[in-house]
Amino acid sequence: MKSRKAISSMLGTIMVISITLVLGGLLYAYSTGMFDNLTHQVDVSSSITLIVNPTSGNGYLDYSFTNDGNIQVTLSKVIIQGGSAYNSSIPLSGGITLNPGQSVQGSISLTGTYSAGSYYTVTIEGTTSSGQPFSETENVPATVE
C-alpha cells in the first residue's frame, strides 16, 4: 500500500491567509496612489481672472496654468460662455504645452462686451501627449480694471 502525503490543513490555512494579506496590501497601495507614476494622471490647476473696462465693455483674461499631473498637456483654446447666450471660442496661438510641473502665465485680449459683476463660464480645452482630450471649466466673475 502506498502512502500519500499532502499539505496539512494548518499549513494550507496559513498560505491562504498570507496570499490574501499580500493581495490586500497591493490593492491598498494602488488605491492610495502609491503607483501613480505607472499611470497617466492629468491635473492642470488654473487661476483665471476676467477684467472688464466698465465704459467700453471690452476686457481681457489673465490666466495662470500649472501642470500638477505626470503627463504633458497642450492647451489649445479658451471658451467663454455667459451673459445673453454669449459664447466665444479663443484659440491659443500655437497652443500652450505644459510639461509635468511646468507653469505658464499670460493675458488674452477679448472681443465682445462683458459686464462687470457678471459670472462667465470659462472652459480650457486641449489634449494630453497620449492624444486624449482634456478640458477644465470654472465660473469666473468679471471684475473692473
Side-chain angles (χ1 to χ4, degrees):
M1 187 184 249
K2 285 186 173 180
S3 107
R4 294 187 173 198
K5 293 187 179 182
I7 297 175
S8 72
S9 62
M10 176 83 94
L11 188 55
T13 303
I14 290 172
M15 287 177 62
V16 168
I17 291 173
S18 298
I19 291 170
T20 303
L21 289 174
V22 168
L23 290 176
L26 288 174
L27 181 62
Y28 174 77
Y30 180 76
S31 67
T32 58
M34 196 173 210
F35 300 125
D36 274 349
N37 289 335
L38 300 177
T39 60
H40 296 297
Q41 181 181 18
V42 178
D43 183 15
V44 176
S45 58
S46 62
S47 173
I48 299 172
T49 307
L50 187 96
I51 301 171
V52 177
N53 180 331
T55 310
S56 66
N58 294 331
Y60 57 95
L61 191 74
D62 279 340
Y63 62 83
S64 173
F65 303 127
T66 303
N67 185 352
D68 296 321
N70 63 4
I71 187 171
Q72 183 183 63
V73 177
T74 301
L75 306 175
S76 57
K77 67 180 168 181
V78 175
I79 300 169
I80 302 174
Q81 298 172 329
S84 56
Y86 186 75
N87 186 352
S88 175
S89 178
I90 305 157
L92 297 172
S93 149
I96 297 173
T97 300
L98 291 172
N99 292 314
Q102 187 177 8
S103 296
V104 67
Q105 296 177 353
S107 185
I108 302 170
S109 293
L110 302 175
T111 57
T113 305
Y114 298 88
S115 302
S118 296
Y119 278 82
Y120 295 88
T121 303
V122 179
T123 303
I124 299 101
E125 291 185 351
T127 56
T128 66
S129 58
S130 62
Q132 298 296 316
F134 165 79
S135 68
E136 182 174 310
T137 303
E138 64 181 89
N139 288 324
V140 178
T143 58
V144 178
E145 65 178 338

